[in-house]
Every structure is written in C-alpha cells, then in structure tokens.
Amino acid sequence: MFRSLLVLVLSLCLVTTLVHGSNDNERKEYIVYMGALQGAGTSAMVDHHNLLLTAIGDEEIARESKIYTYRKSFNGFVARLLPHEVQSLSAEKTVVSVFPNTVRKLHTTRTWDFLGMSETLSRGNAQRESDIIVGLLDSGIWAEAPSFNDTGYGPVPIKWRGKCVNFNGCNRKVVGAKYFNLNQAFSDQDTPSPVDDEGHGTHTSSTVAGVFVKDASLYGLGTGTARGGVPSARIAMYKVCWTNGCSDSDLLAAFDEAIADGVDLISISIGGHSRSFFEDPIAIGSFHAMEKGILTSCSAGNDGPDTSTVENVAPWIMTVAASGIDRQYRTVATLGSGEQLSGISINTFSPQKMMYPLTSGALATNASERYGNASACDFGTLDKNKVMGKIVYCLGSNGQDSNIKQYGGAGAIMALEVEIDTADSTVIPGTSIFPRDQKLIDLYINSAKNPQAVIQKTITINVSAPFVASFSSRGPQKINLNILKPDITAPGIDILAAYSKLPTITGYPTDDRHAVFNIISGTSMACPHASAAAVYVKSIHPDWSPAAVKSALMTTATPMKIVDTNAELGSGSGQINPTQAVNPGLIYDISMSDYISFLCKEGYNNTAIGLIVGGTENIDCTKFKPAQGTDGLNYPTMHTQLDSNSTSISATFYRTVTNVGSATSVYTSKVTSPKGLLVKVIPETLKFSKLNENQSFTVEVKGSLEPTGGKLLSALLEWSDSKYNARNPIIILRPLAD
C-alpha cells in the first residue's frame, strides 16, 4: 500500500529474526530483559557478563557473545545465544524474560483544521509547549526540511540531556538526534547517522511539531500551510529503522536513551506481531517511560480490515488507529468516448496531449513469455512495442505503473479488486479505478477502432468524515481479552507533511522526483497526530499523568461513522478532538500501584513484577489492593471478549473518576444500549465538592446470547454535568471464528 516502503516490506517478508545460522548449534540474537535499574554501586555490565559466563561457561565466548547493554533507564542486554543458554538464562531469578531479537516494520496541512486546531488557536502557555521535547523512534530526520526551521526559538530547555551523534542538522528545533544499529548491519542504502534515508521519520516528526510553512504542497497537490499539531515543541530523533527493518534490540536501545535524555513524550510509528508484555520491546520501553511520567503513543498497524490484527496493545500505551478526513484525492481518466472514470491516486503529472493511445495488458502480451499474468501487467509479460507511448489498462493495482514505465508507456489505468480509501503516488501518470467502472473501460477498449484515453492531474473532492481507514488494524487484541484496543483514531489517510530529499517520492529508483513534502498514508501518520494532541493537553496540564492525558483524549473523542462491526473494532473511543480534550471534566487515572495489581491479576509472579518495577526486590501481590472486575484496570473504555462456552453475558467494571472540571458539580449517567443488553450504573449520579476529588462507580453488564445475534454488542455510558461530557464505549464481543 505504501509505495515508499515497498523494498522494506519485501525484505521483512524474508527476515523476521536476526540470526547467525539456522540450526541449534549456531547462535541467534536474544534480548535478556532484567527489569528496572538496580541500586547505586552495582555494575550492570559486570552483572551481565557474569550471567553470560554462567550460562555459556567460556570467558572468551561470553565476552564476544554480548552485543549491547541497557543501563540508563532499565536493565538488560543483547547477546548471541544457543538454545540451552536461553533456557539457562530464563531460569535465573534476576531475569524477567529472554526473547528473540526480531525485526519490526514502519507503519507507513488540512488535518489540523479538520481537528479544530486552526492556525490562530489559542495555545495557553506557549512557553510551556516550547519546553516540551517529543522523542520519535523512526527512520531518522531530514533536518534541512523547512518544517524544522528554528527561527524564533529560544534556548534549548535546560532539562535536556540529549545530544546529536554524527549529525550536523541539530538546532533549537531539532535538539537531539541519535542512531542505533547494534549489529552494524548497514546496506548500501543506509546512512550510518540519524539522516533519514526513507522519508518516514521526517514525515512523522513534522506532523507532530513542524513549524508553519506556507504554500506547502506536493507538486501543487494539497497546497496550504503545513504545520505540526504543536509547532512550538522540540524534536529529538532516535533512528532505529533501516533498509532491513527496525530490530527489537535497536528499539530498546533507543528507549533506554530517550528516557534518560529527558523527552516528555515518545511517538512510535512501528509495530510487529503482539507478544506477552515483557517479551515485547515497545511494551517494555513504554512501561519504563510511563514510570518516569512519559506517555508513549504508538500506531495500531496497517493490517485492516481483518480483525485481531491490532498491535502495540499494552494498556500503558496509547494505541492509535487511522481515520479519514473530509478530503480525498481523485484522479480522472477520460476515455475517447467521453466517459470519465474517477479513480484514486496521487498523480502529480499534467497531460501533455489531449489524448493518448489506449491498450490493455491482455492486448499487449509478449507472446514469448509463458510466465506471469499479462492482463495484470506483470513484469516481463508485455511487449514493449505494444506499450510504448500508450496508456495501458491493467487488472490489478500493485505497482503496475512502475512496470509500464519500464516499457515506455505513457500511463497506467489500474483496476482495483475492492473499494479503497487511500491514494498511492504513481511513478507515471496513473489512476486506480473502482470495480464498478471496469466493465465500461474493458468494453470500450475491445470495441473502439482506435481506443484513446487521457489521465488528468489529481484533484481533491469532499467526502463524509471521519471514518476508519480500510487499512487500519482492528481489534480485538490477543494479549489481554478485556482491554479494548485500539484506543483512539487520528487522521492517517493522504497526509501531506515534510519529507527527506534522499528517497524519491514513491521509493522507486525509476522515479526521478524528490520533494521536501510528500503525501503518504498509514497508522504511521495517525500516531503523530495523536502524539501532538497529547503534547497539547500536557502543555496545558503539565501535572497530569500519562494515563490522565490519554483518558482526556479518549473520553472527549468525536464519534466515528461506523459502517460495520469491523470498523467498530478499529475505532476505539473515536477520533481525537484536541481542543475538547483540554477540558474533559472527568479523567480516569491509573497509578503504578494500579498497574502492579493489574500485572498480579494477569498472572505475573512476585519476582518478575519486583524486577520490572523495582529492580531487585520482590513484590508481594497480596499486599496490593486486588484488581477488581472483569478487566482489573481503571480504563476509559469497557470491554470483554466472551469465550466459546458462554451462554450469557455477565461483566462488571469498577471505575474511579477524578474531577478536573468545575469544583462543585453533579454528573448524571446516561446509557445507550442495544436490545437484549442491560447496563446498570451504580450510583447513577456522582457529586463533587472540589477539584481533584475522586468518586467511584460500578457498571454491571448483563444479557442473553441469542443464537442469531451479531458478533458484537455496543453500548455507551456518558457522564454529563451542565458543562462537560465524558463518553465511555462499552464493547461486548462474542467469540470470533478462527
């Protein structure tokens, strides 16, 4: 889908675990996670070496096997191990987990107006926003982009402990830049510095905190003032993604540094298959960030509309899905008959002639080629002499424009198999047409004596919004069946933002276009929108915890246009509404002791929790208030997945809200629920006499499971006083078919 990442995605299909060999006698890379940092006076490096020596039994091999030590923000190391050494280390009482070092992937102007954050928005304490530093773990940054100009910025905040490594692009806007490639596995396309070879990290960075750039566009498309959601905030880039992907060990190294450097929020548009919380580098790193008051915002993944595909699901992470705004890019192909086909693409080319000869892959077949599908314009299947100078109609829309360019074609009209909502850039004039128009063009090509067509430059149209992007990963999650993920949505379709001038705008080497702005899509683009919204809230409420900031964004979110069950499983609480989130009225806060109780309920043992939280001391779960109810956490949404043996619905959720609205206020509950689902709130009214006062309530959900009922039952709890309104979705899910 995301053309600039095509080579990366192909490489990830081939490489999922970093290995040195492929059998039990050859070493593979593992991360040994040991929890929080230990007390002063203890040398992590010495401890790590002694552990390895015990497991391996040879001083020299133990020393050579270790790759990296984490020792700034949490405790652990990376090493090349044999299977029996993994087992030995896993049994050590000071080790929380040992897991393979796998490779993850990137989740690759107008949006802020759509979200209500206009250029003239009052930002409260502007100096406070300028003091906030956003750390991004990504593909690097092209600091020469106009979005990172530091004119007008004051000195770098004195709290900042980061620096720039092998990078000349830092200024008062980009205040830190580091890179992590622990294997030193650089390809010819990789620059061993924080410089962005992909464009992805530059795009996400400017979406969070790019400065105002007037008349920004991609070759005239999307023209307007480009800006980030918090243009006064500072940026620190931690480059962890390379041609072969983003390794777990590099991600953890970046977390280790970013937390110690003093970032205020971490934004990560990267993901991989969900794993147990403490065998997942993003869950581990974000937990230790949360301990320091740092919220981590992550993309939900691009594997929608399939269910159970959501990634980055730890409850202390803000998991962000992608939504569409009220603008869509369309590219019209006009046939010689006068018929106009409105397709979807990012086509920067204006036609040089009134009409071009038109053919199809089926008619331009290379008779000597026996492999591949010529109708789909597969590489090697077409006759160059039949394509040269013509627009070619291809069945399928997966890079055929690049193939047509290599044959000297003038353009490509590609046939989509299903309706989509995302436009990709084409390397030559091109558009992807919807299934409803395909019979028409096929009939025209095969009936006209001299078929012709022309592909116009892309235009924009208005569409109904917001809606869940078709590619955005859906729930339910597989790690904790009672926490709804994703949490929230943000714009992620066709986003114009800054870009690196090193790659081409499509990522194809046959493309000769380079630009400082590009239009791309993905939950990668949604995540930095939500990150900026969180920074905006934090700048006004600096004393709020990560959970409080996330709660404010969730309970004030804009309801989504839901067209089917899958979309509801991908929308979370709705689309971010930053200007409302600064005044949520009520917040659902979560303390460290709450998380400890949650981990106890999840089955983590005292020793593991002790290492994670304190470094050495055991945690006694019996001394903490037991996590109550179906989910065991004070989460803004309420959710449960029923098992296959369930004959009825019965769930209980215990919640505590903090008053951050009016000092004296009375909130009344309102429940909207479908037939057959009874939702009872106890008490139905909450009375507050002062700010920051807590009040607790219980939600009981009961109902019958009708044999012919749908797979999802959706209800809504709203707490309202005369001024504020907090929305809390309730999602009950039947067992999903495998």
Side-chain angles (χ1 to χ4, degrees), residues 110 114-115 323-328 461-468 489 491 493 558-562 575:
R110 165 92 183 93
F114 180 70
L115 294 172
S323 58
I325 65 169
D326 58 353
R327 179 181 71 181
Q328 190 175 74
I461 64 169
N462 293 326
V463 296
S464 178
F467 57 90
V468 181
T489 71
I493 295 179
T558 302
M560 301 290 292
K561 176 184 176 183
I562 301 298
Q575 181 170 269

Side-chain angles (χ1 to χ4, degrees), residues 564-581:
D564 56 38
T565 297
N566 283 14
E568 190 149 18
L569 288 170
S571 61
S573 296
Q575 181 170 269
I576 57 169
N577 189 341
T579 57
Q580 291 295 315

Side-chain angles (χ1 to χ4, degrees), residues 145-195:
S147 293
F148 308 125
N149 188 304
D150 69 347
T151 301
Y153 277 80
V156 175
I158 57 174
K159 66 179 181 179
W160 180 239
R161 298 181 293 274
K163 60 182 180 180
C164 293
V165 178
N166 196 23
F167 189 68
N168 297 321
C170 281
N171 55 21
R172 289 170 296 177
K173 176 67 174 178
V174 180
V175 298
K178 298 179 180 180
Y179 68 100
F180 303 88
N181 190 325
L182 304 188
N183 291 291
Q184 298 293 298
F186 299 105
S187 76
D188 292 340
Q189 290 78 42
D190 291 327
T191 303
S193 84
V195 168

Side-chain angles (χ1 to χ4, degrees), residues 38-55:
Q38 297 181 5
T42 302
S43 170
M45 295 186 73
V46 171
D47 286 350
H48 298 167
H49 177 73
N50 290 338
L51 276 172
L52 279 171
L53 182 59
T54 300

Side-chain angles (χ1 to χ4, degrees), residues 687-703:
K687 296 181 180 181
F688 296 93
S689 59
K690 59 183 178 180
L691 288 175
N692 298 314
E693 181 182 353
N694 293 332
Q695 292 286 354
S696 298
F697 64 93
T698 303
V699 177
E700 296 178 351
V701 183
K702 296 185 182 299

Side-chain angles (χ1 to χ4, degrees), residues 383-462:
D383 186 329
K384 184 174 183 178
N385 295 323
K386 297 177 182 178
V387 172
M388 181 75 69
K390 298 179 181 179
I391 293 175
V392 183
Y393 171 57
C394 306
L395 295 179
S397 181
N398 188 26
Q400 284 87 344
D401 54 306
S402 180
N403 295 342
I404 299 303
K405 179 172 184 177
Q406 294 186 55
Y407 289 114
I413 299 175
M414 296 162 282
L416 293 164
E417 294 181 3
V418 296
E419 298 272 337
I420 63 170
D421 45 32
T422 306
D424 284 330
S425 290
T426 55
V427 73
I428 57 174
T431 186
S432 295
I433 63 170
F434 299 103
R436 60 180 177 270
D437 292 327
Q438 291 164 19
K439 285 186 178 179
L440 191 152
I441 187 173
D442 197 51
L443 178 63
Y444 171 71
I445 290 173
N446 289 288
S447 62
K449 185 176 181 180
N450 294 301
Q452 294 180 307
V454 64
I455 301 171
Q456 304 293 341
K457 187 175 180 178
T458 294
I459 59 172
T460 59
I461 64 169
N462 293 326

Side-chain angles (χ1 to χ4, degrees), residues 598-679:
F598 171 78
L599 293 173
C600 292
K601 180 181 174 72
E602 288 296 291
Y604 290 92
N605 63 49
N606 291 345
T607 301
I609 297 173
L611 290 170
I612 293 162
V613 175
T616 54
E617 297 180 5
N618 286 356
I619 290 288
D620 185 351
C621 283
T622 63
K623 294 182 179 179
F624 286 81
K625 182 179 178 180
Q628 294 182 302
T630 299
D631 54 2
L633 204 58
N634 195 39
Y635 220 68
T637 53
M638 301 171 204
H639 172 59
T640 189
Q641 299 178 46
L642 304 177
D643 62 42
S644 57
N645 297 319
S646 298
T647 57
S648 62
I649 299 167
S650 180
T652 304
F653 303 95
Y654 295 92
R655 294 293 187 265
T656 298
V657 287
T658 303
N659 178 29
V660 295
S662 303
T664 302
S665 55
V666 177
Y667 283 83
T668 302
S669 62
K670 176 186 175 183
V671 173
T672 305
S673 61
K675 182 180 179 181
L677 189 68
L678 176 64
V679 179

